[in-house]
Amino acid sequence: MNVNAEVTPEAQHYLRNVLAQRGEPGMAARVFVEHGGTPQAETCLAFCPPGEERASDTRAEFDELTLYFDALSLPYLQDMKIDVDRHGSGQMLAIKAPNAKKPAKPPTTFELPVAGVGLHVPHGNPVTLPAGAVVNITQALGGSFTVNYQGNLYRLAPEVARTLGLHSDVPVFAEPEDGLISEDQCRDALRQVYDPEIPVNVLSLGLIYGLEIDQDTRSVRVEMTLTSPTCGMGDVIADDVKANLLQVPFVTDCRVDVVFDPPWSYDNLDEEAQLELGLI
Protein backbone atom coordinates (compact mmCIF):
# COMPACT_ATOMS: atom_id res chain seq x y z
CA MET A 1 0.00 0.00 0.00
CA ASN A 2 1.29 3.45 -0.92
CA VAL A 3 0.72 6.46 1.27
CA ASN A 4 -1.03 9.62 0.15
CA ALA A 5 0.76 12.24 2.23
CA GLU A 6 1.59 15.92 1.80
CA VAL A 7 4.66 17.55 3.31
CA THR A 8 4.61 21.29 2.73
CA PRO A 9 7.83 23.03 1.60
CA GLU A 10 7.99 24.77 4.98
CA ALA A 11 7.76 21.42 6.78
CA GLN A 12 10.40 19.89 4.51
CA HIS A 13 12.79 22.76 5.31
CA TYR A 14 12.03 22.46 9.02
CA LEU A 15 12.60 18.70 9.07
CA ARG A 16 15.80 18.88 7.03
CA ASN A 17 17.25 21.32 9.57
CA VAL A 18 16.17 19.18 12.53
CA LEU A 19 17.65 16.02 10.99
CA ALA A 20 20.88 17.81 10.06
CA GLN A 21 21.35 18.85 13.68
CA ARG A 22 21.70 15.17 14.60
CA GLY A 23 25.03 15.21 12.76
CA GLU A 24 24.58 11.75 11.24
CA PRO A 25 24.70 11.35 7.44
CA GLY A 26 21.61 9.73 5.98
CA MET A 27 19.41 10.53 8.97
CA ALA A 28 15.72 10.17 8.08
CA ALA A 29 12.42 10.30 9.95
CA ARG A 30 9.83 7.60 10.53
CA VAL A 31 6.08 8.22 10.74
CA PHE A 32 3.74 5.87 12.58
CA VAL A 33 0.45 5.78 14.46
CA GLU A 34 0.05 4.34 17.94
CA HIS A 35 -3.34 2.76 18.74
CA GLY A 36 -4.51 3.35 15.17
CA GLY A 37 -8.23 3.09 14.56
CA THR A 38 -9.14 3.95 18.15
CA PRO A 39 -10.07 7.19 19.96
CA GLN A 40 -6.60 7.04 21.59
CA ALA A 41 -4.76 7.14 18.24
CA GLU A 42 -1.64 9.31 18.18
CA THR A 43 0.39 10.16 15.08
CA CYS A 44 4.13 10.22 15.78
CA LEU A 45 7.35 11.16 13.99
CA ALA A 46 10.72 9.86 15.18
CA PHE A 47 14.36 9.96 14.10
CA CYS A 48 15.34 7.01 11.90
CA PRO A 49 19.13 6.49 11.57
CA PRO A 50 20.39 4.56 8.53
CA GLY A 51 19.66 0.86 8.86
CA GLU A 52 16.97 1.23 11.52
CA GLU A 53 14.08 1.39 9.07
CA ARG A 54 11.95 -1.76 8.83
CA ALA A 55 11.80 -3.97 5.75
CA SER A 56 8.04 -3.45 5.55
CA ASP A 57 8.26 0.37 5.74
CA THR A 58 7.22 2.51 2.78
CA ARG A 59 9.96 4.96 1.78
CA ALA A 60 9.02 8.37 0.38
CA GLU A 61 11.31 11.11 -0.89
CA PHE A 62 10.42 14.78 -0.53
CA ASP A 63 13.15 16.79 -2.29
CA GLU A 64 16.17 16.03 -0.03
CA LEU A 65 14.03 14.68 2.80
CA THR A 66 13.49 10.94 3.37
CA LEU A 67 10.52 9.68 5.35
CA TYR A 68 9.67 6.09 6.24
CA PHE A 69 6.02 5.23 6.82
CA ASP A 70 5.23 2.32 9.11
CA ALA A 71 3.38 -0.37 7.14
CA LEU A 72 1.14 -1.12 10.11
CA SER A 73 0.07 2.53 10.17
CA LEU A 74 -0.46 3.10 6.43
CA PRO A 75 -4.27 2.81 6.49
CA TYR A 76 -4.36 5.54 9.15
CA LEU A 77 -1.86 7.84 7.43
CA GLN A 78 -3.77 8.25 4.18
CA ASP A 79 -4.45 11.92 3.35
CA MET A 80 -2.14 13.10 6.12
CA LYS A 81 -0.44 16.49 6.00
CA ILE A 82 2.76 17.65 7.68
CA ASP A 83 3.03 21.41 7.99
CA VAL A 84 4.55 24.07 10.24
CA ASP A 85 2.56 26.12 12.73
CA ARG A 86 3.90 29.51 13.73
CA HIS A 87 3.40 30.90 17.20
CA GLY A 88 4.79 34.41 17.51
CA SER A 89 8.47 34.20 16.60
CA GLY A 90 8.58 30.42 17.05
CA GLN A 91 7.37 27.51 14.97
CA MET A 92 6.58 23.85 15.47
CA LEU A 93 5.75 20.86 13.33
CA ALA A 94 2.05 20.09 12.86
CA ILE A 95 0.95 16.61 11.79
CA LYS A 96 -2.65 16.15 10.73
CA ALA A 97 -3.87 12.60 10.03
CA PRO A 98 -7.66 12.68 9.57
CA ASN A 99 -7.91 8.89 9.31
CA ALA A 100 -5.83 8.00 12.37
CA LYS A 101 -8.85 7.26 14.55
CA LYS A 102 -10.96 5.56 11.90
CA PRO A 103 -11.06 1.73 11.90
CA ALA A 104 -9.25 0.33 8.88
CA LYS A 105 -9.91 -2.83 6.89
CA PRO A 106 -6.97 -5.00 5.83
CA PRO A 107 -6.45 -6.03 2.19
CA THR A 108 -7.76 -9.37 0.94
CA THR A 109 -4.54 -10.24 -0.88
CA PHE A 110 -1.10 -9.46 0.48
CA GLU A 111 2.51 -10.07 -0.53
CA LEU A 112 4.74 -10.79 2.44
CA PRO A 113 7.61 -8.26 2.51
CA VAL A 114 9.66 -10.59 4.74
CA ALA A 115 9.40 -14.21 5.83
CA GLY A 116 7.04 -14.95 8.70
CA VAL A 117 6.09 -17.97 10.79
CA GLY A 118 2.47 -19.09 10.68
CA LEU A 119 0.74 -21.93 12.49
CA HIS A 120 -0.79 -24.50 10.17
CA VAL A 121 -4.54 -24.69 10.82
CA PRO A 122 -5.90 -26.91 12.31
CA HIS A 123 -2.80 -28.88 13.34
CA GLY A 124 -0.91 -26.00 14.95
CA ASN A 125 2.58 -26.83 13.66
CA PRO A 126 4.77 -23.82 12.75
CA VAL A 127 5.57 -23.19 9.08
CA THR A 128 7.75 -20.41 7.67
CA LEU A 129 6.01 -18.51 4.89
CA PRO A 130 8.67 -17.11 2.54
CA ALA A 131 9.25 -13.47 1.68
CA GLY A 132 7.36 -12.61 -1.50
CA ALA A 133 4.62 -15.16 -0.81
CA VAL A 134 1.23 -13.93 -1.98
CA VAL A 135 -1.43 -14.88 0.55
CA ASN A 136 -5.19 -14.48 0.67
CA ILE A 137 -6.42 -13.11 3.98
CA THR A 138 -9.43 -15.13 5.05
CA GLN A 139 -9.81 -13.68 8.54
CA ALA A 140 -8.50 -10.58 10.32
CA LEU A 141 -9.92 -10.42 13.80
CA GLY A 142 -8.66 -9.73 17.29
CA GLY A 143 -5.18 -8.73 16.14
CA SER A 144 -4.39 -12.05 14.43
CA PHE A 145 -4.78 -13.15 10.83
CA THR A 146 -5.66 -16.36 9.05
CA VAL A 147 -4.21 -16.57 5.55
CA ASN A 148 -4.51 -19.04 2.71
CA TYR A 149 -1.20 -19.91 1.07
CA GLN A 150 -1.02 -22.59 -1.61
CA GLY A 151 -4.29 -24.12 -0.44
CA ASN A 152 -3.41 -24.31 3.26
CA LEU A 153 -4.56 -22.09 6.12
CA TYR A 154 -2.05 -20.46 8.45
CA ARG A 155 -2.65 -18.38 11.53
CA LEU A 156 -0.41 -15.33 11.97
CA ALA A 157 -0.08 -14.18 15.56
CA PRO A 158 -0.43 -10.42 16.21
CA GLU A 159 3.31 -9.95 16.78
CA VAL A 160 4.08 -11.77 13.50
CA ALA A 161 1.41 -9.83 11.61
CA ARG A 162 2.88 -6.54 12.80
CA THR A 163 6.33 -7.39 11.44
CA LEU A 164 4.70 -8.12 8.08
CA GLY A 165 2.86 -4.80 8.05
CA LEU A 166 -0.59 -6.24 8.71
CA HIS A 167 -3.00 -4.78 11.20
CA SER A 168 -6.30 -5.91 12.70
CA ASP A 169 -8.14 -3.61 15.06
CA VAL A 170 -8.09 -4.47 18.75
CA PRO A 171 -9.69 -2.54 21.62
CA VAL A 172 -7.78 -0.19 23.88
CA PHE A 173 -9.26 -0.14 27.37
CA ALA A 174 -9.59 2.95 29.52
CA GLU A 175 -8.87 2.54 33.23
CA PRO A 176 -12.08 2.43 35.32
CA GLU A 177 -12.29 5.33 37.74
CA ASP A 178 -13.04 2.99 40.66
CA GLY A 179 -9.65 1.29 40.25
CA LEU A 180 -11.23 -2.16 39.96
CA ILE A 181 -11.03 -4.85 37.30
CA SER A 182 -14.10 -4.49 35.10
CA GLU A 183 -15.97 -7.68 34.26
CA ASP A 184 -17.42 -5.97 31.19
CA GLN A 185 -13.91 -5.17 29.94
CA CYS A 186 -12.84 -8.76 30.60
CA ARG A 187 -15.73 -10.00 28.50
CA ASP A 188 -14.89 -7.47 25.78
CA ALA A 189 -11.33 -8.82 25.81
CA LEU A 190 -12.66 -12.35 25.38
CA ARG A 191 -14.79 -11.19 22.46
CA GLN A 192 -11.54 -10.34 20.69
CA VAL A 193 -10.34 -13.96 20.78
CA TYR A 194 -11.39 -15.88 17.67
CA ASP A 195 -11.21 -19.41 16.37
CA PRO A 196 -8.63 -19.28 13.54
CA GLU A 197 -10.94 -21.12 11.14
CA ILE A 198 -14.25 -19.34 11.68
CA PRO A 199 -15.01 -15.67 12.41
CA VAL A 200 -16.69 -16.32 15.75
CA ASN A 201 -15.29 -15.28 19.13
CA VAL A 202 -14.83 -17.68 22.03
CA LEU A 203 -17.73 -16.21 24.02
CA SER A 204 -20.20 -16.63 21.17
CA LEU A 205 -18.86 -20.13 20.51
CA GLY A 206 -19.66 -21.01 24.11
CA LEU A 207 -16.08 -21.99 24.90
CA ILE A 208 -15.96 -19.96 28.11
CA TYR A 209 -17.39 -21.90 31.04
CA GLY A 210 -16.36 -19.57 33.84
CA LEU A 211 -14.82 -16.15 34.55
CA GLU A 212 -13.63 -15.35 38.07
CA ILE A 213 -12.15 -12.01 39.13
CA ASP A 214 -10.18 -11.57 42.35
CA GLN A 215 -9.91 -7.85 43.05
CA ASP A 216 -7.57 -8.39 46.02
CA THR A 217 -4.91 -10.22 44.00
CA ARG A 218 -5.66 -8.40 40.72
CA SER A 219 -6.06 -11.77 39.03
CA VAL A 220 -8.49 -13.40 36.64
CA ARG A 221 -9.23 -17.10 36.21
CA VAL A 222 -10.95 -18.52 33.15
CA GLU A 223 -12.32 -22.01 32.71
CA MET A 224 -12.82 -22.84 29.06
CA THR A 225 -13.18 -25.71 26.66
CA LEU A 226 -12.44 -26.42 22.99
CA THR A 227 -14.71 -27.60 20.21
CA SER A 228 -12.70 -30.84 20.18
CA PRO A 229 -10.16 -32.39 22.58
CA THR A 230 -7.93 -33.02 19.55
CA CYS A 231 -7.96 -29.37 18.40
CA GLY A 232 -4.38 -28.54 17.41
CA MET A 233 -4.98 -24.82 17.95
CA GLY A 234 -6.16 -25.24 21.54
CA ASP A 235 -2.97 -23.92 23.15
CA VAL A 236 -3.00 -20.93 20.80
CA ILE A 237 -6.59 -20.02 21.67
CA ALA A 238 -5.90 -20.40 25.40
CA ASP A 239 -2.78 -18.23 25.09
CA ASP A 240 -4.83 -15.58 23.26
CA VAL A 241 -7.38 -15.61 26.07
CA LYS A 242 -4.64 -15.02 28.63
CA ALA A 243 -2.87 -12.35 26.57
CA ASN A 244 -6.07 -10.39 25.97
CA LEU A 245 -7.16 -10.48 29.60
CA LEU A 246 -3.74 -9.20 30.67
CA GLN A 247 -4.47 -6.10 28.56
CA VAL A 248 -7.45 -5.24 30.77
CA PRO A 249 -6.60 -2.45 33.25
CA PHE A 250 -5.52 -3.64 36.72
CA VAL A 251 -5.20 -7.31 35.68
CA THR A 252 -1.72 -8.47 36.70
CA ASP A 253 -2.19 -12.23 36.56
CA CYS A 254 -4.37 -14.58 34.55
CA ARG A 255 -4.89 -18.33 34.74
CA VAL A 256 -6.62 -20.28 31.98
CA ASP A 257 -7.81 -23.83 32.66
CA VAL A 258 -8.93 -25.93 29.68
CA VAL A 259 -11.51 -28.57 30.58
CA PHE A 260 -13.60 -31.04 28.59
CA ASP A 261 -16.35 -31.81 31.08
CA PRO A 262 -18.98 -31.04 30.02
CA PRO A 263 -17.93 -31.52 26.39
CA TRP A 264 -18.64 -28.73 23.93
CA SER A 265 -21.66 -29.07 21.62
CA TYR A 266 -23.53 -26.92 19.14
CA ASP A 267 -25.98 -26.11 21.91
CA ASN A 268 -23.25 -23.86 23.36
CA LEU A 269 -23.48 -21.44 20.42
CA ASP A 270 -25.23 -18.15 21.01
CA GLU A 271 -27.52 -16.60 18.41
CA GLU A 272 -24.73 -14.52 16.86
CA ALA A 273 -22.62 -17.63 16.28
CA GLN A 274 -25.55 -19.56 14.87
CA LEU A 275 -26.23 -16.77 12.39
CA GLU A 276 -22.56 -16.58 11.38
CA LEU A 277 -22.42 -20.33 10.83
CA GLY A 278 -25.72 -20.40 8.94
CA LEU A 279 -27.48 -22.59 11.48
CA ILE A 280 -30.54 -20.33 11.77
Side-chain angles (χ1 to χ4, degrees):
M1 178 186 292
N2 294 321
V3 62
N4 178 28
E6 177 187 357
V7 184
T8 66
E10 293 82 2
Q12 293 179 38
H13 178 75
Y14 181 94
L15 281 170
R16 282 195 297 268
N17 287 339
V18 171
L19 296 176
Q21 291 173 12
R22 303 291 292 185
E24 184 172 351
M27 178 65 72
R30 191 166 184 272
V31 187
F32 57 96
V33 177
E34 292 187 345
H35 305 307
T38 73
Q40 293 79 25
E42 182 177 357
T43 306
C44 308
L45 187 146
F47 292 112
C48 186
E52 291 194 8
E53 68 277 6
R54 298 180 183 177
S56 58
D57 284 349
T58 294
R59 175 172 175 158
E61 299 289 343
F62 299 89
D63 198 1
E64 298 179 2
L65 172 68
T66 299
L67 295 181
Y68 290 98
F69 293 88
D70 173 43
L72 174 67
S73 304
L74 282 182
Y76 309 111
L77 294 174
Q78 298 303 320
D79 303 320
M80 73 170 297
K81 181 178 181 179
I82 303 178
D83 201 355
V84 172
D85 281 347
R86 289 180 171 80
H87 299 277
S89 59
Q91 57 182 6
M92 62 182 297
L93 208 61
I95 303 177
K96 298 178 181 179
N99 294 304
K101 297 183 179 181
K102 297 179 181 179
K105 293 184 178 180
T108 56
T109 302
F110 187 75
E111 180 177 338
L112 304 188
V114 295
V117 176
L119 296 181
H120 189 199
V121 179
H123 308 295
N125 53 301
V127 175
T128 298
L129 305 181
V134 177
V135 301
N136 292 320
I137 299 174
T138 62
Q139 186 169 299
L141 296 166
S144 65
F145 286 76
T146 301
V147 301
N148 186 313
Y149 176 60
Q150 296 183 342
N152 294 301
L153 292 179
Y154 299 93
R155 189 256 191 188
L156 304 178
E159 60 273 16
V160 174
R162 284 193 291 269
T163 65
L164 299 175
L166 291 170
H167 172 73
S168 173
D169 296 316
V170 294
V172 177
F173 298 108
E175 291 189 356
E177 294 182 358
D178 59 10
L180 299 176
I181 298 171
S182 164
E183 181 175 344
D184 287 341
Q185 288 185 337
C186 287
R187 293 191 177 278
D188 286 342
L190 291 172
R191 289 189 182 94
Q192 289 297 320
V193 180
Y194 290 83
D195 184 293
E197 293 185 89
I198 53 177
V200 179
N201 67 72
V202 293
L203 271 182
S204 293
L205 280 173
L207 298 183
I208 304 300
Y209 284 171
L211 172 65
E212 299 176 3
I213 298 173
D214 190 324
Q215 300 288 357
D216 293 331
T217 61
R218 301 294 194 182
S219 62
V220 176
R221 177 181 176 270
V222 171
E223 186 175 273
M224 64 173 292
T225 191
L226 303 171
T227 55
S228 168
T230 60
C231 176
M233 303 300 291
D235 288 344
V236 174
I237 296 173
D239 287 345
D240 284 351
V241 166
K242 181 175 182 178
N244 276 27
L245 286 171
L246 287 173
Q247 297 302 311
V248 174
F250 308 122
V251 175
T252 60
D253 187 43
C254 178
R255 173 180 168 182
V256 179
D257 294 326
V258 179
V259 300
F260 296 102
D261 184 20
W264 181 88
S265 73
Y266 282 100
D267 292 336
N268 292 33
L269 300 173
D270 68 9
E271 185 174 339
E272 176 186 344
Q274 293 179 52
L275 285 170
E276 183 66 40
L277 297 175
L279 299 178
I280 57 175

